[in-house]
Amino acid sequence: MKSRFRLLLLLLPILVLMGWLVAGPKPWDPGLDTSPEAKEAIRTHGFVVRGLWWGALAGVILLSGRFLLARIFPHRERAADSAPGVFPAPTLHRNGKLGLRLGILAAGLASAWMMAPRLSLSLWGDEEATVLRFVVGRYYPAKDGTMAPKKPSWVKTLWNFDNGANNHPLNSALARLSAGLKKPSTAADQFPFSETMIRLPAYLAGVGSIFTVGWLAWMMGMPRAAPLASWLTALHPWIIRWGSEARGYAFELAFIGLTMGAVLAALATGKFRWWVVFGAAEALLLISHFGSVMFLLPLNASILVILWQRSGGRPLRSAEAWSWINASVGAAVLTLLLLGPAVEPMRRWLASEKALGQGVTSGWFIDWLSYFGSGTPWYEWEPENPFSVTLRESLVAHPLISWPSLILLFVGFATGVAFLARHHFSRWWLLPLLLPVPLTCLQSVLKGTLLYPWYSVGFLPLFLTVISLGWCFAMDQWTPPRWTGWRRLLIGVILLGVFALQTSDQRQRYRLHSIEALAESVRTYRKTVNAGDVGLNEVVSIGVMHYTRLYDPATIEVRDAAEILSILKQADADGKPVVVNAANLGLAEQVRGPMMALLHDRRLFSEPEIIPGLQPVCTRSIWRHFPPSQQP
């Protein structure tokens, strides 16, 4: 009876997918157009039809292959509990377990408190692009003189990849659902959308990452490292920022620990439910952020090697190996269906000039190390910006805190690697812990694609886990045996305290200041900011470079200097002030030279008001032009 149920469970998805292949739309149906010249909606529809059909076909092949293999290798054995890959479970008293769990819980609550102020801060460029394309939609003029959003279709939210990997589907879908829970504001002095509701799903995932990284450290045979890992993650400035940003990185942060922890739990307990969690987490990782494949490749390679060892070189005779195969095939089929429509547009995007740019250089690598170690860059990026603070400056200004913090992190990482490498049951786990960032860099070098340091932020929990394991291992090796209980707790508090002090300034910047002050900049020149209010027409705004389409949808995009002069003339006649709200002025000077020359003309525009940003090209500059009747 049980075997028949399993057979039905396998055949049912095959039959469903075959039904879609026969009855659903086909890639060769007339009218499908995915050419670059086609309208976006038509092009996306074509990609979805083709991607779903080929994804369903690949799913049928995978499921059928699994079915045939099961028939060829029916006998299955369970590995012994002492087989390679299982971390020894230390003996802990009930009070000890409770204390460690309370430490993890406290870290999660502290993380929620530290990230909460970021919920209501202004969205920045990448978040704004996500909201415009996939969540709220672009605003267009309505007949009553206001602006109204045109909601994107759910097909677009889930499967539009015209800008390559910039759509993180899981976040886009959940942010849209969350934003829809709150009725748009109609108050003239309020934006019609809520940054808090848009960011809420990512925020919850970011808080969740504190618990999953603690669980991962626990499952690696070092429960005492679990609260250290959770607190180290909660205190890291990059977690404060990316763990609450309306993008897919927060979900990647959460699912990284869940995926690897589930594998370790499955190998330790032999229970299939953990393999189910593993497969689901794999699929969720990929639809959160495509870059997570650089973690899943070495993770599954490690699992394969470990299962080979545990089965004595006969993995297809192993019950555990078949559990892994079942979970992986299920995850692969689900991913093929969810991301199949992304394959063709992603391939086109990677082949285009948009994907090209500066990849890994020595400067990039040093900056990346600095970000991973402190949440701050190594190189100064905007000398006149008060937020352009670097780790190099911190080492000079605060050597008694900054140097010990970096040394402790380095010692923890080196010791953690040594701890994992010394045992046959743990050394293979170094592959998923250490290789994701090098693989990401290698892909960028080979393809010549643009790579920002934060593209690897999802792998930060792995780095912090290794450090936490190293600290605990060092305590075991280098402290007297009688130093237990509160003495070790005190050492842990000191380690975390040094890191917390060194990163406190950057943590506060991320907590309390917008990365890019889009909302704040618009409020400097508009009393009415609600797109649904006619008062939006009281000020004329001109878009020259990196203007905000979400916070100021009434902005008039211009192509040349003559258009600016024409707008100024009409505004003077109407008695309306004119504003230019721009960023990335270095690029603007290169490609919008004549227009920038007008902005520098003090007979036409005032000195710009500067609102500093927290990363390059995010500083806003606001120029004003007043009609003769309003000139000071």
Side-chain angles (χ1 to χ4, degrees):
M1 188 71 179
K2 193 173 182 179
S3 61
R4 290 181 181 178
F5 176 75
R6 289 180 177 176
L7 179 63
L8 178 63
L9 200 62
L10 176 64
L11 290 178
L12 185 60
I14 294 178
L15 293 175
V16 171
L17 293 176
M18 290 184 68
W20 176 264
L21 292 175
V22 173
K26 314 293 191 299
W28 52 84
D29 284 348
L32 293 180
D33 188 357
T34 59
S35 65
E37 295 77 21
K39 290 184 178 180
E40 182 184 64
I42 295 174
R43 189 170 59 248
T44 300
H45 173 72
F47 286 141
V48 170
V49 169
R50 292 181 179 182
L52 288 179
W53 196 89
W54 288 110
L57 178 61
V60 169
I61 294 172
L62 281 174
L63 290 169
S64 301
R66 184 264 173 226
F67 177 77
L68 292 175
L69 275 177
R71 292 297 176 184
I72 297 173
F73 300 96
H75 179 65
R76 301 171 191 178
E77 302 171 350
R78 189 184 183 281
D81 292 337
S82 60
V86 177
F87 287 90
T91 303
L92 289 174
H93 296 296
R94 182 178 179 182
N95 290 340
K97 286 184 179 180
L98 178 61
L100 295 175
R101 288 168 179 164
L102 288 176
I104 296 172
L105 176 61
L109 294 175
S111 173
W113 174 77
M114 286 187 285
M115 287 195 288
R118 294 206 73 247
L119 286 171
S120 58
L121 294 178
S122 171
L123 303 172
W124 77 285
D126 281 5
E127 290 178 301
E128 180 191 49
T130 295
V131 171
L132 280 172
R133 291 182 61 80
F134 311 119
V135 180
V136 172
R138 293 185 184 275
Y139 285 81
Y140 295 94
K143 294 180 180 180
D144 59 0
T146 64
M147 307 284 292
K150 182 181 179 181
K151 279 280 187 182
S153 67
W154 273 101
V155 168
K156 181 175 181 176
T157 297
L158 295 172
W159 288 311
N160 182 279
F161 299 94
D162 277 2
N163 287 337
N166 283 335
N167 184 13
H168 301 166
L170 182 61
N171 172 74
S172 297
L174 294 179
R176 180 170 179 174
L177 290 172
S178 178
L181 295 176
K182 184 176 181 180
K183 187 178 180 180
S185 173
T186 57
D189 62 345
Q190 297 295 321
F191 295 104
F193 51 87
S194 167
E195 294 96 341
T196 297
M197 298 305 295
I198 290 169
R199 285 195 176 113
L200 184 59
Y203 166 79
L204 295 176
V207 174
S209 70
I210 309 304
F211 296 96
T212 60
V213 74
W215 184 53
L216 173 59
W218 192 301
M219 293 306 302
M220 297 193 78
M222 195 75 80
R224 287 183 291 104
L228 280 177
S230 291
W231 273 103
L232 197 57
T233 304
L235 291 168
H236 200 289
W238 254 22
I239 301 297
I240 298 294
R241 182 198 167 167
W242 298 105
S244 56
E245 183 160 305
R247 303 281 283 146
Y249 303 112
F251 297 94
E252 186 181 18
L253 289 167
F255 294 135
I256 284 274
L258 180 64
T259 305
M260 191 166 176
V263 172
L264 295 172
L267 293 175
T269 65
K271 294 179 179 178
F272 182 67
R273 65 169 177 262
W274 290 117
W275 288 111
V276 174
V277 173
F278 163 73
E282 278 194 307
L284 289 169
L285 256 180
L286 287 170
I287 62 174
S288 297
H289 186 232
F290 295 144
S292 60
V293 70
M294 300 303 178
F295 163 73
L296 293 177
L297 289 174
L299 176 65
N300 282 280
S302 298
I303 295 172
L304 178 60
V305 172
I306 289 168
L307 290 176
W308 183 281
Q309 293 177 344
R310 287 165 69 91
S311 64
R314 300 188 305 165
L316 293 179
R317 299 289 187 185
S318 164
E320 288 181 317
W322 276 103
S323 295
W324 170 59
I325 291 172
N326 291 336
S328 298
V329 168
V333 172
L334 185 60
T335 303
L336 284 167
L337 294 175
L338 291 172
L339 297 183
V343 173
E344 192 172 349
M346 281 290 293
R347 180 184 58 80
R348 289 187 185 180
W349 182 76
L350 288 171
S352 70
E353 294 183 356
K354 294 180 180 179
L356 302 179
Q358 182 176 339
V360 180
T361 62
S362 58
W364 182 98
F365 185 72
I366 293 172
D367 250 354
W368 169 79
L369 281 176
S370 181
Y371 275 122
F372 260 45
S374 67
T376 55
W378 181 259
Y379 295 105
E380 191 175 51
W381 44 271
E382 207 169 74
E384 66 280 5
N385 189 332
F387 296 139
S388 180
V389 179
T390 66
L391 176 59
R392 181 162 50 178
E393 294 171 338
S394 178
L395 291 172
V396 175
H398 309 287
L400 296 181
I401 291 296
S402 298
W403 278 109
S405 177
L406 292 184
I407 292 171
L408 289 172
L409 290 176
F410 176 77
V411 170
F413 184 77
T415 310
V417 171
F419 163 70
L420 293 171
R422 68 200 294 260
H423 296 295
H424 67 89
F425 56 80
S426 60
R427 63 173 61 103
W428 287 108
W429 298 117
L430 286 171
L431 296 182
L433 289 171
L434 302 183
L435 285 186
V437 173
L439 288 176
T440 302
C441 295
L442 179 63
Q443 188 272 340
S444 174
V445 171
L446 294 177
K447 296 292 185 180
T449 52
L450 179 67
L451 184 65
Y452 290 114
W454 62 79
Y455 285 0
S456 62
V457 68
F459 310 135
L460 181 55
L462 305 174
F463 173 78
L464 300 177
T465 298
V466 173
I467 291 173
S468 302
L469 294 172
W471 282 348
C472 277
F473 179 62
M475 280 189 249
D476 290 340
Q477 299 296 311
W478 300 338
T479 59
R482 67 178 183 276
W483 282 29
T484 58
W486 67 268
R487 288 187 177 91
R488 293 207 174 185
L489 175 62
L490 180 60
I491 294 174
V493 170
I494 292 173
L495 293 171
L496 292 171
V498 172
F499 179 76
L501 286 173
Q502 195 272 321
T503 56
S504 61
D505 288 345
Q506 185 72 343
R507 196 163 50 248
Q508 285 299 95
R509 291 185 197 101
Y510 282 145
R511 290 185 67 231
L512 305 177
H513 299 279
S514 300
I515 302 299
E516 183 175 13
L518 296 176
E520 295 89 336
S521 64
V522 171
R523 288 188 181 279
T524 64
Y525 58 86
R526 288 194 184 278
K527 293 181 180 179
T528 298
V529 297
N530 196 304
D533 195 292
V534 293
L536 204 66
N537 299 317
E538 294 173 356
V539 177
V540 178
S541 55
I542 298 176
V544 173
M545 176 64 66
H546 282 206
Y547 59 92
T548 171
R549 295 178 176 90
L550 179 66
Y551 287 97
D552 193 359
T555 299
I556 303 170
E557 184 178 3
V558 294
R559 299 294 182 185
D560 55 47
E563 286 187 71
I564 295 180
L565 292 174
S566 176
I567 292 172
L568 293 180
K569 183 178 179 180
Q570 184 60 50
D572 285 348
D574 296 338
K576 294 181 179 180
V578 178
V579 173
V580 175
N581 183 357
N584 200 359
L585 302 187
L587 178 61
E589 294 287 358
Q590 296 177 29
V591 300
R592 302 278 194 270
M595 288 189 278
M596 293 303 294
L598 290 182
L599 297 181
H600 297 321
D601 188 341
R602 293 296 157 258
R603 295 170 298 178
L604 297 176
F605 289 95
S606 65
E607 285 285 346
E609 178 183 352
I610 307 298
I611 305 181
L614 266 64
Q615 72 178 35
V617 308
C618 287
T619 292
R620 307 300 302 179
S621 298
I622 301 103
W623 289 266
R624 291 175 172 83
H625 169 89
F626 295 99
S629 60
Q630 297 183 21
Q631 287 182 0

